[in-house]
Structure formats: C-alpha cells, structure tokens
Amino acid sequence: MKKLFSISILLLIVAGCQEKESNLTFETKSYTSSTLDFCKENICPEIEIERITAIGNQELADTINNAIEQLLIKNLDIDPDESSKILTLEAALENFATSYRSYKEEFPDASAEYVFTSKSTISSNTDVLLSINIDNYSYWGGAHGYGSTSYLNFDKSTGKTLSTNEIIKNKTEFLKLAETKFKKQKGIAAEENINSTGYFFENDEFILPANLGFNDQELLLVYNPYEVASYAEGQIIITLPLDEVKEYLSIDL
C-alpha cells in the first residue's frame, strides 16, 4: 500500500512538471520608430525590433524575458557612463533616440542615420534545452555598422540560464575537437598554428567564442566580427554535429 502511494505521488509530481512545462508559449513583440511614443513628435533613428516574449511557466518565462531584455539593452548602449541608469528596453530605446537627436543637432548636414535592428528566434527547443538566437545590427556613425549574433541558452528543468562552462563538461577535450573543426572548416592544415592564415587568437591559442548555441542538428560556435579576425572576415560560424559532441555536454540532448 505504501509503495502504491509513493508511486502515485511520483506520478503526480511528474504530471505536474509536464503540465508546467507545456504552459510555456512564445509570442513576438515588435518595436519600431513608427510606433514608439517618443518618436511620434520628434525625429528618431531607424528602430526595428522583433523580440520573443515567453508566457506561462512564470519562473522560466521571467528568466528568458529578462535575459533577452538585458542583451538588447547592452547592444543599445552608446554611453557606458549612462548604462547603469538604464533598466528597461523602453528606456534604452528612448536614450538611443535622444543620442541620435543630439548627433543631428551637432551635425545637421550629416547624411548618416542611426540604426538599430534586432530579431530573436527560437533555434532549438527540446525537453531540456531552449536556445534562442538574437541577430542585431547597429550603426551610430563611423565607417560602418556592426552586426552580431548572440545565443541565450536555458535549462528548462531548472529555469536557469546556461553559461558555456555549464554546457561543456570536459572543456579541455572539447577545445581540441573544436579547434580541429575550426581548422578543417577554415582550410587550415592540422599541423599549422591557429593564426597561420591571419586570425588573431590571443597567444596563438584557440579559444571558444563568446556565443555558443544550438539548432536541432548542431552545436554552433559563433565568432562575431573582431572577435578573432578582422571586420572584413565577417562572422565565423563553426558547426559541430550533435552526435559528435554529446559526450562533452552536461545536458542530455
């Protein structure tokens, strides 16, 4: 009888977790210079954001939404001295518009316009992992704008954001595999130095990029412009099939 009772309790807990997980849904919220209130009566930069918003499963949804918001705020940051005062995406966008107006007042004949665009999409969504891709482009003067890709990874069972160190469980061995893949995909001979064709890895030592993400078939290593190469090289994406990297991951995909 006690055994049956214990099994029943366990089944209820599992069912509760599954129901909680199934409640997580997503919608897209848009922000554009044509719809933002602070742009209606004054000039504004070009703004076009499509931002994923999680709904349901409150703890996990709050973690996801806050992580996306903080990333967007960071990418909108023009003045580091002001960044600590900006707590919301709306405030960051308004500050971006204010900076643009100051620029146009100082340089009224300048043809360059400020731009910020961003689009977030779900790259992978399994029982245990959610990986969100965020593509950003910004321009606020200078020779060219800057485009980048960021990944946010979440452990759906704990409701927490996953860092690279929390995803990779055997970093030393994984680095060897990743360097081999990098060299192969970029046409560098296995015996050659990682910087032999013009990359600038510090101290000639291969490192993982700041952004690591997933799709349904692959682990993606994303080196954004300037990270290990010149701007002209553009973005570098190294793909590793999940079947080849599962043994190095702390999550069971």
Side-chain angles (χ1 to χ4, degrees), residues 75-252:
N75 279 277
L76 278 160
D77 184 13
I78 295 178
D79 184 358
D81 293 333
E82 296 291 323
S83 59
S84 62
K85 303 174 185 177
I86 298 174
L87 304 178
T88 67
L89 176 56
E90 288 78 3
L93 288 169
E94 188 165 4
N95 183 67
F96 183 60
T98 299
S99 297
Y100 169 70
R101 289 165 189 159
S102 297
Y103 162 75
K104 294 298 282 186
E105 286 179 8
E106 187 173 358
F107 305 103
D109 298 327
S111 59
E113 301 290 333
Y114 279 20
V115 177
F116 184 81
T117 65
S118 177
K119 184 175 183 178
S120 53
T121 56
I122 295 173
S123 181
S124 181
N125 189 7
T126 71
D127 290 340
V128 296
L129 173 75
L130 173 67
S131 188
I132 294 179
N133 168 297
I134 302 177
D135 289 321
N136 291 319
Y137 174 79
S138 59
Y139 177 77
W140 42 68
H144 53 72
Y146 183 76
S148 65
T149 296
S150 299
Y151 276 92
L152 295 171
N153 301 297
F154 304 91
D155 184 332
K156 294 168 71 176
S157 64
T158 64
K160 294 181 178 180
T161 306
L162 290 168
S163 67
T164 296
N165 287 336
E166 291 169 322
I167 293 172
I168 307 300
K169 65 181 179 182
N170 189 340
K171 193 171 180 180
T172 301
E173 292 303 313
F174 181 76
L175 277 169
K176 293 178 183 178
L177 173 65
E179 182 173 5
T180 298
K181 291 289 185 179
F182 186 102
K183 286 182 173 180
K184 183 176 181 180
Q185 291 180 36
K186 303 308 291 184
I188 304 172
E191 67 277 8
E192 291 292 329
N193 183 286
I194 191 65
N195 289 334
S196 61
T197 61
Y199 295 106
F200 41 76
F201 286 88
E202 189 174 357
N203 299 322
D204 294 330
E205 293 181 0
F206 178 82
I207 60 169
L208 296 179
N211 285 281
L212 174 156
F214 295 85
N215 60 32
D216 292 339
Q217 295 83 34
E218 301 162 318
L219 170 65
L220 309 170
L221 304 180
V222 181
Y223 296 87
N224 284 311
Y226 296 124
E227 197 167 346
V228 295
S230 67
Y231 181 83
E233 176 76 15
Q235 189 181 73
I236 300 168
I237 301 178
I238 305 301
T239 58
L240 296 86
L242 290 180
D243 288 343
E244 296 183 23
V245 300
K246 282 185 176 180
E247 64 182 288
Y248 304 103
L249 304 179
S250 60
I251 47 179
D252 187 16

Side-chain angles (χ1 to χ4, degrees), residues 43-62:
I43 61 169
C44 253
E46 180 183 338
I47 296 170
E48 189 171 344
I49 298 173
E50 293 182 19
R51 171 193 170 182
I52 282 179
T53 301
I55 303 168
N57 191 345
Q58 198 62 51
E59 182 180 353
L60 179 56
D62 286 347

